[in-house]
Amino acid sequence: MVERANRPSALSATPGLAPQPQVTFSDDNSSVRAVLPTGESVTVLLHGATITSWTDASGSEKLWLSSSAHLDGSKPVRGGIPLVFPVFGTAPDHAQTASLAQHGFARSSRWEFLGKSTSESASGDGAADLSAKLDFGLSAAGLSEEAKGKWSFAFNLIYSVTLNRGSLTTSLVVTNDDEKAWDCQVLLHTYLRVKDINEVEVHGLDGAQYVDKVDGAKTKSQSGAVKITGETDRVYTPVANGPVTVAEGGKKTFTVTRDNLSNVVVWNPWTDKAAGMGDFSPKDGFKNMLCIEPGSVSGWQSLEPGDAYEGAQTITYHS
């Protein structure tokens, strides 16, 4: 055998792919969880396609979830990000949705997991930023018999949850699969976690008209930042499609950007309202949450047969 002076050395390890996002089901197949290699995670309950957790790389939770929230499918989830469709609140004067329960049926129906996808982009420091996208679907065939009896139109919903380093994007595509037109409203009912509601200010709504549901649905105009000092339930129509930011103690903590969603609901139940809700706990939990809810709820989206409507939000957190 002839010895080769410059023969290649053996490889110490077989090269492989860089770490990828991991997507797993819970043991009972009730939820789906995505985790990025850097540690960020999101958990989506198939009941309502409700996001129940969103954490940063250190495991710090960004959403507020009631400790007595129903996660077994028996009731809509109190906290996280529930979906509102096809009606916001109740609409007794709107014939198509008059008989539906509060906030419609999307948040109380079991959705189908349609699949996952990942993407990679170069970040400013030369590293690769990975993201994970989870898709969920709901159609008329997936509704309960009770819901079908109250809203008999054919439809298709595709809900996408995209986890990035530092942000979370949720988008909903609504398609009319019926032979006749129907109306709908859409809202992303986001419960953000805060440290102390008394230190919170909401910026980006200055000059916006809003309906004050705590004060007889009077129409008012916002002046300056929004501060939460009592029960708050307002439907804002911002003058521009700019971002809404949440600051705590003067430091920006969240930025919410909207795509094709003309309204922003700001909600906090405060003391008495929280005390009266059986699934809201701890009862002083209102001190640690604020709902910033992008939606299209001041009027109706009217979809002709075959038409589609899409709305989305991106929430970015600031460390």
Side-chain angles (χ1 to χ4, degrees), residues 89-101:
T90 58
D93 297 327
H94 185 259
Q96 293 180 352
T97 58
S99 61
L100 288 175

Side-chain angles (χ1 to χ4, degrees), residues 28-82:
D28 61 358
N29 289 323
S30 66
S31 63
V32 183
R33 184 171 186 256
V35 182
L36 299 185
T38 43
E40 294 85 353
S41 73
V42 66
T43 303
V44 185
L45 192 69
L46 291 180
H47 177 68
T50 304
I51 298 173
T52 56
S53 175
W54 170 38
T55 69
D56 65 15
S58 69
S60 176
E61 182 61 61
K62 302 305 175 185
L63 301 177
W64 184 87
L65 182 69
S66 169
S67 60
S68 58
H70 296 269
L71 303 180
D72 60 357
S74 60
K75 290 184 179 180
V77 175
R78 174 70 64 188
I81 308 181

Side-chain angles (χ1 to χ4, degrees), residues 100-176:
L100 288 175
Q102 167 114 339
H103 292 335
F105 50 73
R107 65 178 188 156
S108 57
S109 299
R110 183 177 175 88
W111 291 57
E112 179 184 0
F113 178 56
L114 301 179
K116 64 177 182 178
S117 57
T118 60
S119 63
E120 181 177 323
S121 61
S123 64
D125 59 6
D129 282 341
L130 290 169
S131 66
K133 178 170 170 281
L134 308 176
D135 292 325
F136 303 86
L138 179 68
S139 66
L143 296 185
S144 67
E145 292 304 315
E146 179 183 3
K148 290 178 183 177
K150 294 179 177 179
W151 208 74
S152 58
F153 301 103
F155 68 93
N156 187 57
L157 304 181
I158 302 294
Y159 183 51
S160 298
V161 176
T162 304
L163 175 66
N164 295 282
R165 295 179 65 186
S167 69
L168 185 72
T169 297
T170 63
S171 65
L172 183 66
V173 179
V174 180
T175 304
N176 181 354

Side-chain angles (χ1 to χ4, degrees), residues 54-288:
W54 170 38
T55 69
D56 65 15
S58 69
S60 176
E61 182 61 61
K62 302 305 175 185
L63 301 177
W64 184 87
L65 182 69
S66 169
S67 60
S68 58
H70 296 269
L71 303 180
D72 60 357
S74 60
K75 290 184 179 180
V77 175
R78 174 70 64 188
I81 308 181
L83 290 173
V84 172
F85 174 89
V87 62
F88 173 60
T90 58
D93 297 327
H94 185 259
Q96 293 180 352
T97 58
S99 61
L100 288 175
Q102 167 114 339
H103 292 335
F105 50 73
R107 65 178 188 156
S108 57
S109 299
R110 183 177 175 88
W111 291 57
E112 179 184 0
F113 178 56
L114 301 179
K116 64 177 182 178
S117 57
T118 60
S119 63
E120 181 177 323
S121 61
S123 64
D125 59 6
D129 282 341
L130 290 169
S131 66
K133 178 170 170 281
L134 308 176
D135 292 325
F136 303 86
L138 179 68
S139 66
L143 296 185
S144 67
E145 292 304 315
E146 179 183 3
K148 290 178 183 177
K150 294 179 177 179
W151 208 74
S152 58
F153 301 103
F155 68 93
N156 187 57
L157 304 181
I158 302 294
Y159 183 51
S160 298
V161 176
T162 304
L163 175 66
N164 295 282
R165 295 179 65 186
S167 69
L168 185 72
T169 297
T170 63
S171 65
L172 183 66
V173 179
V174 180
T175 304
N176 181 354
D177 286 343
D178 211 291
E179 296 179 351
K180 50 186 176 293
W182 45 258
D183 301 335
C184 69
Q185 296 174 328
V186 169
L187 183 97
L188 304 168
H189 200 314
T190 307
Y191 289 72
L192 297 175
R193 177 177 287 275
V194 300
K195 293 180 180 177
D196 183 357
I197 193 64
N198 295 295
E199 297 294 322
V200 168
E201 290 186 348
V202 182
H203 300 271
L205 297 173
D206 187 28
Q209 298 291 306
Y210 68 91
V211 175
D212 191 342
K213 298 174 73 174
V214 175
D215 189 15
K218 294 178 182 176
T219 299
K220 303 178 181 180
S221 181
Q222 181 64 38
S223 178
V226 180
K227 299 180 181 181
I228 311 300
T229 58
E231 183 185 349
T232 303
D233 192 355
R234 303 175 180 178
V235 182
Y236 284 88
T237 304
V239 292
N241 196 35
V244 174
T245 62
V246 177
E248 193 164 354
K251 180 182 178 181
K252 183 164 61 174
T253 54
F254 294 100
T255 298
V256 181
T257 58
R258 296 168 291 124
D259 185 0
N260 203 30
L261 296 170
S262 58
N263 302 117
V264 177
V265 175
V266 178
W267 183 75
N268 183 289
W270 212 250
T271 309
D272 293 344
K273 189 85 169 183
M277 291 187 289
D279 61 350
F280 192 101
S281 60
K283 291 305 179 185
D284 64 353
F286 68 88
K287 298 177 181 178
N288 305 119

